[in-house]
Amino acid sequence: MDGNGRWARERGWPRLKGHEQGSQSVEKVANACMDAGVEYLTLYAFSTENWKRPAHEVAGLMFLLERFLSEKVAMMNEKGVRLSTIGRMHELPDAARKRLERAISETSHNNRLNLTLALNYGGREEIVDAVRAIAGEVRAGTLDPVKISSETLSDHLYTRGMPDPDLLIRTSGEMRISNFLLWQLSYTEIHVTRKLWPDFGPADLHAAIADYSSRERRFGEAHENPITASSNS
Ligand code: FPP
């Protein structure tokens, strides 16, 4: 959800105003996803690197997260949104973590949109955590190292059970992955828009989906003649 700071700076406002406006985009984009039939939406809300921001910005982001949860859980239940998180939850402030746990439990029966917030999340940290868990199983004698496959790693990531993303939308024109879902994005289509996150709305989501739909996804295979390729498979 990049560009909150720039959106605020363009107006001569403090960065937190940009984050506040950015949290409004979350609901609009989640609704547009449901209308478009998207079943999984994962938002990068707070990275492991974001702790290095000034203390008042970090505290402001935690406050916005808590406010979002207390205001939106009823709407999530009305619309069928199931909330989950990825990241090192145990390092979040107690109040935010408890509010999250409650929201996750209160929305656990929903199945229309899986809304995942990446919080205190880093792609490298996720892989490190998975490798630690796998190493623990090897040491305990419950996993044979020879049997470790890419599925084993996927099954030990925070995203276990979730499909890999089809589309990554990067706002504010950034051309980097920035430690997001490093393993899961292997074959994901990337759409970069110059729109800043607070200005990103349903029309931008539709444009991103249209761009995605025009791509030929090859997953590393040669598809020069798709008819032959599919009749052989
Ligand atoms: C990146 O913009 C955005 C963040 C680090 C925080 C995103 C958080 C929210 C939108 C609000 C809280 C979350 C929820 C789910 C309600 P930036 O500050 O890096 O912007 P810049 O690149 O323009 O400086």
Side-chain angles (χ1 to χ4, degrees), residues 26-27 29-35 37-42 76 79-84 107 110-116:
V26 171
E27 183 173 359
V29 172
N31 282 331
C33 280
M34 284 186 272
D35 293 343
V38 171
E39 290 175 15
Y40 290 85
L41 171 64
T42 302
M76 289 188 208
K79 299 211 163 154
V81 178
R82 180 180 184 178
L83 185 76
S84 64
T107 60
N110 296 327
N111 60 10
R112 185 159 168 222
L113 176 72
N114 293 281
L115 173 63
T116 303

Side-chain angles (χ1 to χ4, degrees), residues 3-210:
N4 296 345
R6 272 162 281 180
W7 185 91
R9 198 173 58 227
E10 280 173 5
R11 289 158 179 81
W13 293 343
R15 296 176 57 80
L16 264 177
K17 276 295 258 187
H19 294 315
E20 193 174 5
Q21 193 65 29
S23 11
Q24 317 265 334
S25 300
V26 171
E27 183 173 359
K28 285 185 230 156
V29 172
N31 282 331
C33 280
M34 284 186 272
D35 293 343
V38 171
E39 290 175 15
Y40 290 85
L41 171 64
T42 302
L43 297 170
Y44 205 172
F46 194 87
S47 76
T48 46
E49 289 76 29
N50 286 154
W51 297 110
K52 295 179 197 141
R53 294 190 177 207
H56 74 273
E57 186 174 346
V58 171
L61 284 167
M62 294 301 151
F63 168 79
L64 286 173
L65 172 67
E66 285 178 54
R67 191 173 75 180
F68 174 84
L69 295 171
S70 47
E71 288 177 0
K72 304 297 176 196
V73 165
M75 179 276 294
M76 289 188 208
N77 280 329
E78 245 167 64
K79 299 211 163 154
V81 178
R82 180 180 184 178
L83 185 76
S84 64
T85 57
I86 53 173
R88 290 178 173 168
M89 287 308 107
H90 59 281
E91 291 170 359
L92 286 182
D94 279 356
R97 204 190 59 252
K98 284 186 184 137
R99 196 66 202 77
L100 274 164
E101 284 165 1
R102 210 159 85 216
I104 290 169
S105 142
E106 285 169 1
T107 60
S108 60
H109 56 284
N110 296 327
N111 60 10
R112 185 159 168 222
L113 176 72
N114 293 281
L115 173 63
T116 303
L117 300 180
L119 289 162
N120 192 22
Y121 174 86
R124 287 184 174 177
E125 288 73 11
E126 179 180 31
I127 293 170
V128 167
D129 287 349
V131 170
R132 279 190 191 144
I134 291 169
E137 288 175 31
V138 169
R139 189 173 55 185
T142 53
L143 180 63
D144 178 353
V146 175
K147 299 229 167 84
I148 296 174
S149 63
S150 60
E151 283 74 30
T152 315
L153 206 98
S154 293
D155 288 345
H156 287 79
L157 295 172
Y158 309 141
T159 51
R160 72 189 71 83
M162 285 167 66
D164 287 343
D166 291 313
L167 172 64
L168 170 73
I169 302 175
R170 185 88 212 230
T171 54
S172 82
E174 302 293 356
M175 298 278 199
R176 298 184 292 276
I177 299 294
S178 297
N179 206 15
F180 190 50
L181 299 175
L182 294 180
W183 175 273
Q184 299 88 334
L185 292 177
S186 298
Y187 289 102
T188 299
E189 297 295 327
I190 301 178
H191 174 87
V192 177
T193 168
R194 295 190 71 81
K195 275 280 172 86
L196 307 177
W197 174 254
D199 291 329
F200 188 91
D204 304 296
L205 180 81
H206 297 148
I209 294 175

